[in-house]
Amino acid sequence: MTASSNPAAAGEFLPFCRPSIDDTDVAAVVETLTSGWITTGPRCAELEQAVCDRTGAAAAVAMTSGTAAMHLALLAMGIGPGDEVITPSMTWVSTPNVINLLGATPVFVDVDRDTLLVSPESIAAAITPRTKVIIPVHYAGAPCDLEAIRKVAGDVPILEDAAHAIGTRYGDREIGASGHAIFSLHPIKNITTGEGGIFVTDDTDLAATVRQLRFHGLGAEAWDRNQQGRSPQVEVQSPGFKYNLPDMNATLGITQLKRLDAFIERRAAIAREYHAGLPAGIEPLAVPTWDHGHAWHLFVVRVVEEQAGVDRATFMEGLKAMGIGTGIHFRAVHTHRWYRDHDIVAPGGLANTEWNSDRICSIPLFPGMSDADVSRVIDGIGEVCQATDVVSTRQGAPA
Ligand SMILES: *Cc1c(COP(=O)(O)O)cnc(C)c1O
């Protein structure tokens, strides 16, 4: 495998995303691999502490995926049959899937047409006496308006889906500083552990419950027992899962987290180039009007055929033919087969979600992109749209 942080050579396929792995990552993982302890242990604890230090969270529990973190957070919050959980349909399928697997019902709410963030109004309209949790998504690395959402939520707890939002700031605090949130450490996310996820919370009792659930429901983990030099009589407190994050993965997260600010800085610079260089009809998302720091996890555009001269399928095919990768984040969950078959939401009930679900497309955005890669994407898009009005002021991008 070639060093994955190298920029793609001209003509080489440019994926929409690629993890930034450097020599410090490789050296750290090799050290763990040869240390004699590769599953969950001191490196996992170190990553959890580093995430608390970075975000301001009181407690963090690392798991094998963001989905696992979401599953156990909801379980620990007592979600089960008969409960309703409010979430946008413009999200990854993992959240509604887990809600269903717990026997609860996802209640899909609409998003703002131009930020794709859930609005406090749509949440307020969906709250019933059965609502047990609200899951806003900090979509693409922009924060939801948490203060307004907390106001409409009242006593209903909020679990933030911050899969896109490690390093995102809302007001003067980072996402995760208070309340409950999950981060994903999947390779396409802003930092990675190969696969992984972290639950962060200001409720240390809830963290302890999640910690127990991630390892069989036992009162202690393998490393604790190993450290004591003998096996204490640990017992199942309540049946749990096997979601613990191995140290070989956690080690990668530690070195990645140290470079998070540099990653976000490069992502933001690329986003500025895109804002300045995209043709009419290729509409970027709006950024929130409230005080925030954007983590620029994704650069999402809406292909508006009437202005762009192409539909989304043609746009994506055209870029692919030029060796430029794209993705869709996301197809609205209520339009997937199982959700259609189970009448989870009436079609047409989520107008902004559905309009975007048919038009959104993520274009390449990752820290290892060279300036030439960025120009190649902008020029390629201009060509695909046969646009005559590609803005040529790429240097003068908005701040
Ligand atoms: C990636 C993602 C998840 C799940 O994370 P995994 O680590 O892949 O399980 C959850 N929600 C959103 C919005 C995501 O993008």
Side-chain angles (χ1 to χ4, degrees), residues 3 23 49 57 82 89 103 106 143 146 210 235 242 249 295 342 344 352 367 391:
D23 292 346
Q49 187 56 51
S89 175
L146 282 172
V210 169
E235 291 186 292
K242 185 72 198 312
N249 300 75
H342 288 75
I344 302 289
N352 294 339
V391 181

Side-chain angles (χ1 to χ4, degrees), residues 265-290:
E265 206 174 294
R266 178 63 187 147
R267 287 173 174 277
I270 297 167
R272 282 195 294 273
E273 299 283 309
Y274 282 154
H275 276 122
L278 293 175
I282 304 301
E283 274 184 23
L285 297 182
V287 294
T289 52
W290 43 91

Side-chain angles (χ1 to χ4, degrees), residues 65-67 91-92 94 137 161 163-164 184 186 189 196 330:
S65 67
T67 305
T91 188
W92 181 228
S94 56
V137 178
D161 183 339
H164 300 176
S184 169
H186 181 273
K189 304 295 158 68
F330 302 97

